[in-house]
């Protein structure tokens, strides 16, 4: 069919288009405007309507959901598939998600179930994908770290490392929590929130942050850093404060403490724009998603996934990327992992810092078992979680009018 792909600077932007073409579809594309990415852009919507009619599109596709795209599809009667990979992602709770032209896939089954219970029938659980053939071509093209550095101009060390983590440390002073702390100067409020954060950090598999934000706490936060929900939103202020204010603070604590604990015993490669120093840890800075990250995952003995707590049950894209490159994945507990993969067969997980350190020690000492798990995961990714497989399944689930 004729498909219009709305592009922006997302991970996998080329992968999704390549897969649609390989599946036999005629793919045109346009670029999402900055205004439409941030909110509503009537001018972009008008342009998109014209583009849909011009190319006779029957389906519009984008990574993440945008109300301006949905509005264009409503006007033209074209179906819209949006594949969510970000979390938290407030637009997923916009009232327009219920538009009947939408088929929205979210990688977090909790979110899909939550919106279904609220009467939204357009949001579905759809785990993410990896372009396995592309990343394996990249891995095969580079025989050693020197060659990679020469070809990409990178200063990143691609030698075999014991443990690595790619991602933000969320230690920016502009984060909501840090700003709230400075603005409020309310010791009682911040003491309570610190207590909630520490309680949540001790629990994996269940997020209760929003349940702890009672009216009195919410009213105090409003005084200093209010958040105005859009009309008809399917979320709540409590959820916004939990995911956007408290969540990044927990991510900072989760990630820095785990990395510090592991680096006391093992060599750790950190790929982040955040600052963190430890004797056995080297921070190589940010890396390129397409050309450098796959090689890092493939060459490192143990790859860590430390998910944001706003991802209630879902498998983050980072975890899929690791398995899709033939890397060994050690992740925090995420419920949806167990719907698709088997621990000890395709990956392993931890439920405390102590357990993570123990498992790093175990898998570094058991190379054959570690390699077998990584290869088994790669095989399953090739069979079931490539873009072509996943998009083929998803499009067959979308009712397209003739």
């Amino acid at each position: 069919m004729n498909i219009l792909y709305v592009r922006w600077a997302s991970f996998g932007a080329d992968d999704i288009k390549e897969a649609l073409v390989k599946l036999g579809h005629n793919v045109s594309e346009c670029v999402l405007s900055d205004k439409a990415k941030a909110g509503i852009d009537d001018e972009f919507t008008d342009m998109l309507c014209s583009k849909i009619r011009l190319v006779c599109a029957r389906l519009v596709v984008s990574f993440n959901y945008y109300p301006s795209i949905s509005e264009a599809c409503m006007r033209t009667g074209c179906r819209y598939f949006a594949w969510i990979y970000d979390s938290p992602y407030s637009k997923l709770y916009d009232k327009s998600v219920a538009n009947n032209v939408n088929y929205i896939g979210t990688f977090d089954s909790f979110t899909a179930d939550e919106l279904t219970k609220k009467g939204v029938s357009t949001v579905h659980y759809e785990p993410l994908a990896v372009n396995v053939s592309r990343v394996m071509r990249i891995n095969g093209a580079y025989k050693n770290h020197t060659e990679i550095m020469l070809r990409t101009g990178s200063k990143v060390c691609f030698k075999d490392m014991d443990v690595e983590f790619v991602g933000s440390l969320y230690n920016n002073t502009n984060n909501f929590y840090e700003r709230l702390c400075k603005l409020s100067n309310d010791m009682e409020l911040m003491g309570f929130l610190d207590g909630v954060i520490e309680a949540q950090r001790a629990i994996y598999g269940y997020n209760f942050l929003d349940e702890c934000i009672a009216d009195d706490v919410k009213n105090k936060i409003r005084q200093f850093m209010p958040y105005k929900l859009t009309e008809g939103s399917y979320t709540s202020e409590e959820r916004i404060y939990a995911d956007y204010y408290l969540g990044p603070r927990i991510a900072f604590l989760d990630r820095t403490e785990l990395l510090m604990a592991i680096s006391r015993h093992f060599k750790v490669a950190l790929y982040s724009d955040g600052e963190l120093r430890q004797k056995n840890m080297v921070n190589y800075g940010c890396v390129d998603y397409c050309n450098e990250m796959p090689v890092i995952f493939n060459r490192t003995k143990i790859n860590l996934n430390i998910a944001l707590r706003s991802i209630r049950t879902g498998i983050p894209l980072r975890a899929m990327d690791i398995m899709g490159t033939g890397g060994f994945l050690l992740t925090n507990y995420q419920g949806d992992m167990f719907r698709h993969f088997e621990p000890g067969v395709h990956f392993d997980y931890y439920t405390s810092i102590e357990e993570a350190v123990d498992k790093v020690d175990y898998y570094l000492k058991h190379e054959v078992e570690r390699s077998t798990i990584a290869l088994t995961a790669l095989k399953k990714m090739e069979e079931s979680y490539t873009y072509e497989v996943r998009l083929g399944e998803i499009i067959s689930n979308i009712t397209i009018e003739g």
Side-chain angles (χ1 to χ4, degrees):
M1 75 178 88
N2 294 333
I3 294 177
L4 179 57
Y5 173 49
V6 181
R7 174 187 290 273
W8 58 279
S10 62
F11 296 137
D14 292 326
D15 296 329
I16 194 169
K17 181 180 178 182
E18 177 186 312
L20 290 171
V21 172
K22 286 184 176 179
L23 287 169
H25 302 292
N26 301 312
V27 183
S28 304
E29 70 173 68
C30 65
V31 178
L32 182 70
S33 71
D34 290 339
K35 189 175 179 181
K37 188 176 181 183
I40 301 299
D41 186 346
D42 293 332
E43 185 177 342
F44 172 81
T45 298
D46 291 340
M47 180 279 295
L48 189 59
C49 286
S50 299
K51 184 76 171 180
I52 290 170
R53 296 186 181 105
L54 178 65
V55 302
C56 300
R58 296 169 64 195
L59 179 67
V60 175
V61 175
S62 73
F63 265 130
N64 287 344
Y65 172 79
Y66 298 98
S68 293
I69 299 178
S70 183
E71 175 61 23
C73 290
M74 287 290 286
R75 293 185 195 175
T76 58
C78 184
R79 293 304 306 271
Y80 174 32
F81 168 54
W83 205 353
I84 309 296
Y85 73 61
D86 272 333
S87 178
Y89 192 68
S90 60
K91 291 183 182 65
L92 184 54
Y93 296 91
D94 187 85
K95 65 179 181 180
S96 65
V97 298
N99 289 347
N100 59 14
V101 294
N102 295 338
Y103 185 101
I104 303 171
T106 173
F107 71 100
D108 193 332
S109 67
F110 176 93
T111 304
D113 292 342
E114 175 189 32
L115 287 167
T116 298
K117 291 175 183 176
K118 293 182 178 182
V120 179
S121 61
T122 55
V123 178
H124 310 268
Y125 171 56
E126 298 290 357
L128 295 165
V130 175
N131 187 339
V132 176
S133 59
R134 175 181 63 80
V135 298
M136 296 312 291
R137 283 197 305 272
I138 291 171
N139 285 325
Y142 300 124
K143 304 302 182 183
N144 57 63
H145 73 281
T146 303
E147 183 180 356
I148 299 169
M149 294 169 69
L150 288 172
R151 291 199 187 184
T152 65
S154 172
K155 296 181 180 179
V156 174
C157 176
F158 289 91
K159 291 181 179 179
D160 293 342
M161 301 293 287
D162 286 341
V163 184
E164 68 76 24
F165 175 72
V166 174
S168 174
L169 296 181
Y170 291 94
N171 56 354
N172 190 313
T173 56
N174 290 322
N175 285 335
F176 286 119
Y177 186 81
E178 284 70 19
R179 288 162 55 192
L180 177 63
C181 186
K182 290 181 179 179
L183 290 171
S184 70
N185 198 29
D186 186 328
M187 300 300 292
E188 182 178 354
L189 171 63
M190 301 314 298
F192 174 78
L193 294 179
D194 283 340
V196 170
I197 285 171
E198 287 307 310
Q200 179 64 82
R201 291 190 63 221
I203 303 296
Y204 289 83
Y206 180 71
N207 187 321
F208 52 74
L209 290 174
D210 53 329
E211 299 172 30
C212 295
I213 302 177
D215 288 344
D216 59 332
V217 176
K218 181 170 60 177
N219 290 335
K220 283 187 176 183
I221 297 175
R222 279 176 178 166
Q223 292 177 29
F224 308 105
M225 291 183 64
Y227 182 92
K228 184 175 176 57
L229 292 173
T230 58
E231 182 183 355
S233 174
Y234 287 100
T235 193
S236 64
E237 282 185 74
E238 292 87 347
R239 176 63 68 80
I240 293 295
Y241 295 145
D243 287 351
Y244 284 90
Y245 290 42
L246 305 187
R249 176 64 179 175
I250 294 179
F252 165 70
L253 296 171
D254 282 348
R255 293 180 177 189
T256 55
E257 290 191 16
L258 178 61
L259 291 169
M260 294 284 279
I262 293 175
S263 65
R264 291 189 189 103
H265 307 279
F266 313 101
K267 294 180 180 179
V268 175
L270 174 63
Y271 303 93
S272 175
D273 58 356
E275 288 292 329
L276 188 62
R277 300 182 184 279
Q278 181 76 2
K279 181 180 179 181
N280 290 325
M281 185 189 307
V282 179
N283 188 347
Y284 295 101
C286 296
V287 294
D288 178 73
Y289 177 84
C290 291
N291 296 308
E292 296 177 338
M293 195 177 72
V295 186
I296 290 168
F297 291 161
N298 183 264
R299 302 288 173 89
T300 306
K301 296 173 184 176
I302 297 177
N303 300 278
L304 298 174
N305 173 63
I306 312 170
L308 290 167
R309 297 303 181 107
S310 58
I311 306 174
R312 303 300 179 99
T313 59
I315 307 173
L317 180 59
R318 188 60 38 80
M320 300 294 270
D321 284 331
I322 291 169
M323 292 186 290
T325 62
F328 175 85
L329 170 65
L330 179 63
T331 178
N332 62 283
Y333 178 89
Q334 292 292 123
D336 287 341
M337 286 291 304
F338 299 84
R339 299 175 60 160
H340 305 275
F341 304 97
E342 185 177 345
V345 176
H346 305 104
F347 75 104
D348 211 338
Y349 70 101
Y350 62 89
T351 57
S352 69
I353 289 178
E354 295 75 18
E355 185 179 16
V357 173
D358 288 342
K359 289 197 172 181
V360 167
D361 181 51
Y362 176 83
Y363 282 110
L364 287 177
K365 292 176 179 176
H366 293 80
E367 182 177 354
V368 173
E369 183 176 356
R370 186 184 73 238
S371 298
T372 300
I373 290 172
L375 289 173
T376 305
L378 175 60
K379 182 178 180 181
K380 184 154 189 177
M381 292 294 296
E382 289 176 313
E383 292 173 349
S384 304
Y385 299 98
T386 65
Y387 277 96
E388 288 175 67
V389 171
R390 293 270 43 247
L391 285 169
E393 293 171 348
I394 290 168
I395 290 175
S396 69
N397 291 331
I398 301 176
T399 302
I400 306 293
E401 297 297 333

